[in-house]
Amino acid sequence: MTAGASAESPAVPVLVVRTGDRVHRLRPGGSYRIGRDPAAEIPLDDRRVSWNHAVLRAGPTGWVIEDAGSSNGTFFEGRRVQRMLIEGARTFRLGNPADGAAVDCFADAPPPRPVPPPPQAPQAEPRTRVQSPQPPPAQPRSRPAPPAPPAPPAPAPEPAEPRQAPPRRPSVDRHPSSVIRVAPRALRIGRAPDNDVVLSDLVVSRHHAELRTLGPGQREIVDLGSHNGTYVNGVRVERAAFGEDDLLGVGHATFRLVGEELREFVDTGDVSVSVEGLTVRTPEGKVILDGVGFPIPERSLVAVIGPSGAGKSTLLGAVTGTRPATEGTVRYDSRDLYADYDELRHRIGLVPQEDILHTQLGTRKALLFAAELRFPGDTRKEEREQRVDEVLAELGLTPHAGTRIDRLSGGQRKRVSVALELLTKPSLLFLDEPTSGLDPGLDKTVMEMLAELAHDGRTVIVVTHSVANLDTCDRLLVLVPGGRLAYYGPPDEGLAHFGKKSWAEVFQAFDRDPERDWAAEFRASPRFARYVAYAQGQRGDRTEARPPTPPPAQQSRFAQLSTLCRRYLAVIASDRSYLVLLGVMPLILGGLTAALPADKGLAGPPESNQDAAAKLMVLVFAACFAGTGNAVRELVKERTIYRRERAAGLSAGVYLMSKLMVLGLITGLQAIVLVLIGLVWVDKPSSGTFTSVLPELMLSMGLLGVVSMTLGLLVSASVNSSEKTLPLLIVISMGQLVLCGALVRLVGLPGLEQLAWLSPSRWGMGAAAATVDLDTITPPAEDPDPLWKHSASVWAMDMGVCAALAVVFVAVAWWRLDRLRPRRR
């Protein structure tokens, strides 16, 4: 509210304003804003109403309403007005001359008014094909001007009778995008133009679902094999009854059946979110987040700040639904996000602090791979390319489309991560420390970009340590240690609430006075009642929590596998230094094997070749080292990328299989090169157990390398940082050397012999020794090793056990990856 300069005049009466079931009594002497901004003196929840729509103020001759440059206009008796004197009782419509939000104004006291009947849905003509309307581009929202410092504060409106705000209903009930007459036959919904209801949404399959009429008042919804699923009341269904009490979700569209009509609401970002009493407790009972609740206005930028350890990241996980709170809930468009998470999570974007794209790829190429994974398999290449180009243009990245991501500036790299999330047009976008490590100029640029994104049609929530550009935000949330809400409201009122001159002083106060109940002080303040309490009273019906279901895959398993393999090969090919390392490593290891004494190679009369065992041992160690080294970092270094793609529907098994296929091919080729360089010029026995020696050794070393590679993937899936992989690689390699059976005789050593059964090198060495008949070339002093017996059956057993170990390692690695999916409560 901006104070007027004039004093209250007794000639101007109190103005009574009624909106819905709320009554405001306005005294002259100030300006009162009407709009969608919850901070407005007269807030209205209608997406056709602008953020700052109109102003009421008392003039010398009476009360005046002035339009504040709204997008959809202010109307009186069907005509648009810019400024009008209010004489007697007047009803103004905001946003639409016929059914816009009604604002009734009366001088001094309202006359009796009959209760209007409930609004009826507009009658639509029967039709067989409906194209969903495309929402017009959002107009940039004017930001509220700060109050003039010298002006005295205007008197606040007299409080109305305390009453609880009415329950909020989903947008499909309040303001549907369109109404479709349900024909007696089936009504098909999808992305293709030949559907009856066409949804121009790339997350919708070409033929997604059908609404079928079974009889009078009986209908069912049938999924047509869609990739992203059809949801009834938040639950993914293949076939389910569908009545007037149910909500149908298809992509970003929500449908409600009312009589013979199907109401449709297309979620373009104009939805509100309410956080209600979120509490997070550890298994030990420690409270990390304590009863945090606040409303998030639509098309707004919200910043979350607070000292380290205040629970900012915990709040982010709870509000996004990736790490749900133990108590409380989040209401997305009056629906329980936790209960309906499987459907609503497609409308939420999350940008973590780390990069969520492979930085070795070009910007456009990386986004195209991401689009393949996130959009249905029936999406054409041209459609994906068009969407990627739209996002690049929106974020100003078109000039950098061909630039490798790791060569972009910090701010540009953050834009690329945001571009990835914008591919699916989320209504909610969450960012964790987007300006971390950026200079002040880039910090301001990123925050201004996020403000533009918010005002263009989505709600953006930013967790940040930077307080330099909070003025770009619409709302500011401050947490104190213990995860309690110390302030929520406009950023320009935050310091005044704490009575400090800078945020550094506020954080110092938190640290110096830890026993002070900052949260209780905020709850007792008028700002809490103004910015939090009323909106929290607008709640939808409670929804029972349901057991979690696994995230649906965006594509078929084969399509996902193809995309992941091609992307992985592109990442490897783009890193020339890594390519050189992959090619040089078998040459070096093979050269070391060839450098060992080889006068008689792997052949020679009995008891005359003591070097054969050493040469085979080095060969086995080289295969183990190459295989484990190839894979030990591959999963952990992509942990952030995998978590985000997993939440978006990526299959853990398909992701692991793509690594197995690409790395298995590379490791197998390395093993062949290793054997050729190390043994090709060495005398060998005339035959192996079932064929010539060289092919058998290639097979055994190739399998040994692949099994060691699966062991490396298991290690990579089990650690939480790349720094831990190098020590583990050394330990595993030395363990495989000791447990292969050539360096230390294992037969007859209790404990060590049994432990060696879990080592791939034990069985790989056995297969190689069986091939060359090592016990004959170098007879042991004691009983021969049964795994080295020169027979096809023993060789097959060694290879079989080695392969079985690979299956075990892969299964455990898959289990570890699968546990990284978003948690449910």
Side-chain angles (χ1 to χ4, degrees):
M1 178 174 62
T2 304
S6 63
E8 177 179 348
S9 172
V12 179
V14 171
L15 184 70
V16 180
V17 179
R18 180 157 51 197
T19 58
D21 66 343
R22 298 197 70 192
V23 177
H24 309 267
R25 296 178 61 84
L26 310 183
R27 293 186 177 277
S31 298
Y32 303 88
R33 292 183 298 122
I34 309 173
R36 211 171 64 245
D37 183 0
E41 285 71 36
I42 305 175
L44 294 175
D45 183 21
D46 190 316
R47 67 174 183 168
R48 296 169 296 181
V49 175
S50 296
W51 193 258
N52 292 308
H53 196 103
V55 177
L56 290 167
R57 61 169 56 93
T61 58
W63 285 92
V64 175
I65 185 170
E66 294 182 0
D67 189 89
S70 65
S71 299
N72 296 322
T74 302
F75 299 87
F76 175 69
E77 295 183 348
R79 59 187 177 88
R80 187 164 184 166
V81 297
Q82 294 297 326
R83 187 178 187 276
M84 182 175 179
L85 181 67
I86 302 174
E87 299 176 330
R90 293 286 186 267
T91 297
F92 298 92
R93 293 282 181 177
L94 274 58
N96 188 284
D99 61 350
V103 178
D104 300 325
C105 302
F106 314 94
D108 194 27
R113 184 179 66 174
V115 178
Q120 299 295 323
Q123 297 295 320
E125 293 297 326
R127 49 183 171 177
T128 59
R129 179 175 301 170
V130 178
Q131 173 73 44
S132 297
Q134 293 300 306
Q139 298 296 323
R141 185 183 59 189
S142 60
R143 305 184 62 78
E158 293 186 6
E161 300 179 2
R163 65 177 72 185
Q164 185 170 355
R168 291 284 300 274
R169 299 171 299 155
S171 296
V172 68
D173 296 326
R174 292 184 283 119
H175 39 74
S177 304
S178 63
V179 180
I180 301 106
R181 174 73 66 178
V182 178
R185 59 181 180 80
L187 193 72
R188 193 169 64 186
I189 304 170
R191 197 178 77 249
D194 60 349
N195 290 283
D196 302 304
V197 179
V198 180
L199 299 176
S200 301
D201 184 352
L202 289 185
V203 301
V204 175
S205 296
R206 295 184 63 81
H207 300 106
H208 199 104
E210 272 189 355
L211 177 62
R212 299 175 180 174
T213 301
L214 304 179
Q218 295 183 340
R219 293 183 174 88
E220 70 171 359
I221 190 71
V222 179
D223 185 83
L224 300 179
S226 67
H227 291 287
N228 288 327
T230 301
Y231 298 84
V232 174
N233 300 324
V235 179
R236 188 173 186 177
V237 299
E238 299 297 328
R239 179 187 298 266
F242 183 59
E244 295 194 7
D245 295 331
D246 300 319
L247 286 178
L248 169 64
V250 176
H252 288 82
T254 304
F255 298 89
R256 169 88 79 182
L257 191 64
V258 180
E260 297 300 313
E261 295 174 340
L262 187 67
R263 293 181 179 177
E264 174 194 17
F265 172 73
V266 179
D267 185 352
T268 59
D270 289 315
V271 295
S272 60
V273 178
S274 178
V275 178
E276 302 176 3
L278 295 185
T279 298
V280 175
R281 289 187 174 88
T282 65
E284 296 78 22
K286 180 181 178 181
V287 177
I288 304 177
L289 203 65
D290 191 359
V292 175
F294 55 94
I296 304 177
E298 60 190 50
R299 296 197 181 201
S300 61
L301 174 60
V302 180
V304 180
I305 66 172
S308 297
K312 299 186 296 296
S313 296
T314 302
L315 176 64
L316 185 68
V319 177
T320 57
T322 55
R323 297 185 300 276
T326 49
E327 299 173 23
T329 191
V330 179
R331 295 204 169 272
Y332 177 98
D333 194 24
S334 303
R335 299 173 63 184
D336 191 326
L337 174 65
Y338 292 169
D340 297 351
Y341 180 76
D342 292 327
E343 173 190 349
L344 298 179
R345 66 195 182 85
H346 295 296
R347 308 183 192 183
I348 297 175
L350 175 59
V351 181
Q353 187 173 350
E354 302 86 358
D355 291 317
I356 52 177
L357 286 165
H358 292 87
T359 58
Q360 303 94 330
L361 298 178
T363 300
R364 188 173 187 269
K365 191 172 187 178
L367 291 175
L368 285 173
F369 279 124
E372 284 190 50
L373 291 173
R374 297 201 175 196
F375 293 143
D378 60 8
T379 307
R380 297 191 305 273
K381 179 181 179 182
E382 295 77 13
E383 292 177 299
R384 296 193 299 268
E385 290 179 343
Q386 179 181 358
R387 180 57 191 155
V388 167
D389 292 337
E390 289 173 355
V391 172
L392 289 174
E394 181 178 4
L395 295 176
L397 289 170
T398 302
H400 309 288
T403 307
R404 279 177 49 137
I405 298 174
D406 56 8
R407 295 175 183 169
L408 298 173
S409 67
Q412 291 166 346
R413 288 175 65 167
K414 187 57 63 178
R415 286 173 182 259
V416 175
S417 294
V418 173
L420 170 62
E421 295 302 320
L422 294 186
L423 287 175
T424 54
K425 299 183 179 180
S427 301
L428 281 178
L429 182 62
F430 295 85
L431 299 99
D432 189 7
E433 299 288 353
T435 60
S436 177
L438 302 183
D439 62 56
L442 288 177
D443 185 310
K444 183 175 179 62
T445 299
V446 170
M447 292 300 291
E448 289 175 345
M449 173 199 72
L450 297 179
E452 292 173 1
L453 289 177
H455 302 161
D456 283 345
R458 61 191 62 83
T459 298
V460 182
I461 296 92
V462 179
V463 172
T464 180
H465 279 99
S466 174
V467 297
N469 298 289
L470 295 179
D471 59 323
T472 61
C473 303
D474 300 292
R475 287 290 181 270
L476 174 65
L477 185 148
V478 182
L479 289 177
V480 292
R484 307 187 73 188
L485 182 64
Y487 174 76
Y488 182 75
D492 54 3
E493 298 182 25
L495 291 176
H497 171 76
F498 293 106
K500 303 295 181 181
K501 296 181 179 179
S502 69
W503 287 107
E505 293 180 8
V506 173
F507 285 14
Q508 283 181 333
F510 293 159
D511 184 56
R512 292 170 181 171
D513 199 357
E515 301 302 322
R516 184 173 174 180
D517 196 342
W518 301 93
E521 293 179 12
F522 176 59
R523 287 195 301 272
S525 71
R527 289 183 175 89
F528 179 85
R530 185 173 183 180
Y531 302 124
V532 178
Y534 178 74
Q536 282 192 319
Q538 297 179 322
R539 299 177 181 178
D541 298 331
R542 292 287 176 184
T543 307
E544 295 296 326
R546 290 180 289 272
T549 57
Q554 312 305 99
Q555 299 176 303
S556 68
R557 305 280 178 167
F558 179 78
Q560 278 192 350
L561 182 61
S562 172
T563 301
L564 290 173
C565 287
R566 288 186 289 108
R567 184 180 69 178
Y568 191 21
L569 288 171
V571 169
I572 293 174
S574 65
D575 191 340
R576 295 184 180 179
S577 60
Y578 183 59
L579 272 178
V580 171
L581 179 62
L582 290 177
V584 168
M585 184 164 57
L587 300 179
I588 295 175
L589 295 176
L592 292 175
T593 305
L596 293 176
D599 293 340
K600 298 176 182 177
L602 300 179
E607 302 182 7
S608 65
N609 189 353
Q610 300 297 320
D611 298 326
K615 187 173 283 288
L616 281 183
M617 180 183 67
V618 173
L619 190 68
V620 166
F621 174 79
C624 293
F625 181 81
T628 308
N630 286 341
V632 75
R633 293 182 66 250
E634 289 304 303
L635 300 182
V636 67
K637 74 179 183 182
E638 295 182 356
R639 182 68 51 84
T640 303
I641 299 174
Y642 169 74
R643 281 183 182 274
R644 188 65 196 104
E645 291 181 343
R646 175 74 171 143
L650 178 66
S651 165
V654 172
Y655 174 74
L656 184 59
M657 182 58 67
S658 69
K659 298 294 184 183
L660 291 171
M661 292 180 65
V662 175
L663 289 177
L665 177 63
I666 293 173
T667 304
L669 293 175
Q670 286 178 329
I672 293 174
V673 173
L674 183 66
V675 172
L676 288 175
I677 294 178
L679 301 179
V680 69
W681 293 288
V682 175
D683 293 337
K684 294 174 284 292
S686 57
S687 64
T689 59
F690 69 95
T691 185
S692 59
V693 170
L694 202 58
E696 278 192 31
L697 287 175
M698 288 181 182
L699 287 174
S700 59
M701 292 303 102
L703 179 61
L704 177 59
V706 170
V707 177
S708 298
M709 179 263 295
T710 63
L711 179 58
L713 289 175
L714 172 57
V715 172
S716 191
S718 303
V719 298
N720 55 13
S721 69
S722 298
E723 290 75 15
K724 296 178 180 179
T725 58
L726 180 59
L728 289 174
L729 173 62
I730 296 172
V731 170
I732 290 173
S733 299
M734 293 304 298
Q736 296 234 67
L737 178 63
V738 172
L739 297 177
C740 72
L743 185 64
V744 177
R745 185 170 180 80
L746 299 174
V747 178
L749 290 179
L752 196 61
E753 181 179 11
Q754 286 71 37
L755 179 63
W757 295 346
L758 301 177
S759 174
S761 63
R762 174 73 170 123
W763 306 96
M765 181 68 192
T771 294
V772 301
D773 194 8
L774 189 59
D775 278 339
T776 299
I777 298 173
T778 309
E782 303 175 17
D783 293 336
D785 192 325
L787 302 183
W788 295 6
K789 185 178 181 181
H790 184 65
S791 72
S793 59
V794 172
W795 185 88
M797 181 191 69
D798 292 333
M799 297 286 282
V801 175
C802 205
L805 287 175
V807 173
V808 173
F809 296 152
V810 169
V812 179
W814 171 83
W815 175 73
R816 292 287 303 180
L817 286 175
D818 189 62
R819 292 184 62 191
L820 297 177
R821 65 180 181 273
R823 296 200 302 265
R824 313 298 325 129
R825 73 177 183 187

